[in-house]
Amino acid sequence: MLAVTVIAGVLFVWALLAHRLSRWSITAPIAMMGAGIALTAGSAPPLHFELETSVFEHAVEVILALLLFVDAIELPGGALGREKGPVTRLLAGGLPLTLCAAFLTGLLLFPGQSGWLLAVLATIVVPLDLAPTAAVVRDRRIPARLRELLNVEGGLNDGIVSPVFLLCLAAAVESHGAHADYGQAVLEAVGAAGWALGAGLAVGWVAGRLLRLSWSRGWTELSAMRLGVLAVPLAAYTLSSALGGNGFVASFVAGVVIGPAVRQLPKGVAELTDDLVVLLCLGLWFLFGQIVNDAFGDSFQVSVILYAVLAVTLFRMLPVLLVLMGTDIAPADRLFLGWMGPRGVTSIVFGSLAVIELPDANADFIARVMVITVMLSIVLHGLSAEPIARFYARRSTARQTEGPPATVE
C-alpha cells in the first residue's frame, strides 16, 4: 500500500507543477520514470516490486488492452479517408520496412542470438507511443495535417505489430524446447489471433449497436455510458482469453469496430476509459524505473547502445522518407514524421512479457535493449519537441509575411 501512496504522491506533485515542468519537456511519464528510478535504486531501496509474476503479466496485458482500445476509438473521424494514401504508405510500407531494418541490423550486431529472438526484439523496439511527447500532437504550431497523420499512425501501429510480436514470441519460446515444433507454435499463435479477432469483432459490433440504440431511445445517461464504454475492452479481453485468444489484440479490434459508434455518441463518453488508461500507464512508467535499475546492474555492450540509437532514429526515419516520396508532403514534413516516432508503454509491455516468457539469458538481453531504446527515445524525442514546434512557428510566420503570390494580368 505504501507504494501506491508514493506513486499517487508523485503524480499529485507533477499535477501541481505540470505547466512549469512542460517548459523543460518534463512530461508525466518522464516524471514518473524518474521517481521510479530514484525510489527503487540501491541494494536496499525504499520500494521494490516483483516483476516476474503471473499477476504482473496479466496486469501489463490489461494495461495494453485498454491502451490499444483507446488508441483505436480515438482515431480522428474520417482521417483514414482524408489521408488514405499517406497512412497506407506508412503502415503497409514504412512499418514492414522498419521491422525488417530492426531485424537485419540485429543479425549484424548480435550474431550470437537466434533469429526468432531478434524478431521479437524488432517488434519490441518498433511500436510508437505518443504519450511521452503528447505535447507535440496538441501543439497548434505544428500543422494540423501532420498531427493528424501521427495520431492515426500511432493509433494503428501498435495494434498491427501486436499479433506479429505474439507470433515471434511463441516461436522464440519454442526454440528453447528440447524438441522444438515451430509449426505447432505458429498454428497456436495463428489460432489465438483468430479467436482474438472473432471476440473483438463480436464484442465491438454488439456493444456499438446497443450503445447507440440505448442513447437514441433515452434509456440511459452520459455517466452510465462512460461505464459502458469502459466495459467493452474488458469484455473483449476476458472473452478472448477464455476462448484461447489474446486479450489485447481482441481489445484493439473491438476499439476499431466500435469507434464509429463512439464518435456518434455524446462528446466525452470515452473520457473515463481514457483517464483510467493514462493513470495505469503512469503507474507502469513508475515500475519502469525499477526495470531500468535492474537492467543497469551490469555493463552494456557497445552493440546494444548502437542498436538502440539506430532503433530511435534510422530504423524509422529512412523507411518513412522512402515511402512518402512522390506525395504532396514537403521534405521537411516527411523528416518530421520520420523523426517523431517515440517509444513508450507498448515497448515496455512487450519487453516485460518477453522477459517473463524467455529464459534468463535471453530475458536479460531483451530487457537491456528495451530499456536503452525507451530511455533514448524519451530524451531525444522529448528534448526535440519544443525546437521542432518553434521551427514550424517561424515557417508559418514567414509564409504569412510573404503573403499570397502576385498575379500577372
Side-chain angles (χ1 to χ4, degrees):
M1 295 301 293
L2 176 61
V4 176
T5 304
V6 172
I7 293 174
V10 173
L11 180 59
F12 184 75
V13 171
W14 176 86
L16 295 176
L17 303 172
H19 179 66
R20 289 185 175 275
L21 292 175
S22 66
R23 299 176 183 177
W24 293 280
S25 300
I26 300 178
T27 61
I30 294 175
M32 296 299 287
M33 181 192 69
I37 292 174
L39 294 174
T40 61
S43 56
L47 297 176
H48 182 76
F49 304 91
E50 295 296 331
L51 302 181
E52 296 184 5
T53 65
S54 60
V55 174
F56 177 72
E57 180 179 5
H58 290 305
V60 295
E61 283 192 355
V62 170
I63 291 173
L64 182 58
L66 292 172
L67 176 63
L68 292 173
F69 177 79
V70 169
D71 283 347
I73 65 174
E74 287 188 346
L75 292 175
L80 286 177
R82 292 192 300 272
E83 302 291 352
K84 183 177 180 180
V87 170
T88 301
R89 287 174 179 242
L90 288 170
L91 295 176
L95 180 56
L97 288 175
T98 301
L99 286 169
C100 288
F103 175 70
L104 294 176
T105 304
L107 290 177
L108 178 64
L109 294 179
F110 311 116
Q113 303 292 347
S114 71
W116 282 116
L117 183 67
L118 296 176
V120 171
L121 181 61
T123 61
I124 290 173
V125 302
V126 163
L128 306 185
D129 178 15
L130 298 176
T133 56
V136 171
V137 294
R138 295 195 300 263
D139 198 322
R140 295 187 178 276
R141 292 174 294 179
I142 296 173
R145 183 188 187 189
L146 299 182
R147 289 185 280 120
E148 186 174 82
L149 281 172
L150 274 179
N151 265 325
V152 174
E153 185 192 7
L156 296 174
N157 176 284
D158 44 8
I160 294 173
V161 176
S162 295
V164 182
F165 163 75
L166 294 172
L167 175 63
C168 295
L169 180 60
V173 171
E174 186 67 27
S175 68
H176 294 282
H179 305 285
D181 187 349
Y182 294 109
Q184 182 63 28
V186 171
L187 286 176
E188 290 179 357
V190 172
W195 283 116
L197 178 64
L201 287 171
V203 172
W205 185 80
V206 171
R209 288 184 63 88
L210 291 178
L211 286 171
R212 283 187 298 182
L213 176 64
S214 176
W215 182 257
S216 64
R217 298 290 178 87
W219 295 344
T220 186
E221 54 189 18
L222 183 57
S223 59
M225 293 285 282
R226 288 174 179 151
L227 291 172
V229 172
L230 175 59
V232 175
L234 298 177
Y237 175 85
T238 52
L239 176 60
S240 177
S241 299
L243 294 173
N246 184 269
F248 51 77
V249 173
S251 181
F252 173 75
V253 174
V256 172
V257 174
I258 201 176
V262 170
R263 288 189 284 274
Q264 295 176 15
L265 295 172
K267 184 179 180 180
V269 72
E271 282 184 355
L272 176 61
T273 307
D274 191 22
D275 290 342
L276 179 60
V277 168
V278 171
L279 185 62
L280 292 174
C281 286
L282 290 178
L284 184 58
W285 277 109
F286 188 91
L287 295 179
F288 180 67
Q290 178 174 315
I291 298 175
V292 171
N293 287 324
D294 293 342
F296 272 101
D298 299 315
S299 60
F300 286 96
Q301 298 175 337
V302 174
S303 56
V304 170
I305 299 176
L306 177 59
Y307 183 89
V309 171
L310 293 173
V312 298
T313 56
L314 297 184
F315 285 177
R316 172 177 167 81
M317 291 178 67
L318 293 181
V320 168
L321 292 174
L322 179 63
V323 300
L324 292 181
M325 290 179 62
T327 66
D328 62 346
I329 301 176
D333 295 340
R334 295 177 212 162
L335 188 60
F336 166 79
L337 292 173
W339 168 252
M340 195 49 64
R343 300 342 187 247
V345 168
T346 307
S347 294
I348 296 172
V349 172
F350 284 176
S352 299
L353 294 177
V355 166
I356 293 172
E357 296 293 334
L358 293 169
D360 289 343
N362 292 333
D364 291 342
F365 167 72
I366 290 290
R368 292 177 185 177
V369 180
M370 180 270 289
V371 164
I372 291 293
T373 301
V374 173
M375 291 190 68
L376 274 175
S377 176
I378 287 177
V379 173
L380 296 178
H381 293 116
L383 293 179
S384 65
E386 182 61 24
I388 288 174
R390 290 174 182 171
F391 163 78
Y392 277 107
R394 289 194 301 268
R395 192 175 75 168
S396 177
T397 302
R399 288 179 175 176
Q400 292 174 2
T401 302
E402 291 175 1
T407 58
V408 179
E409 297 182 359

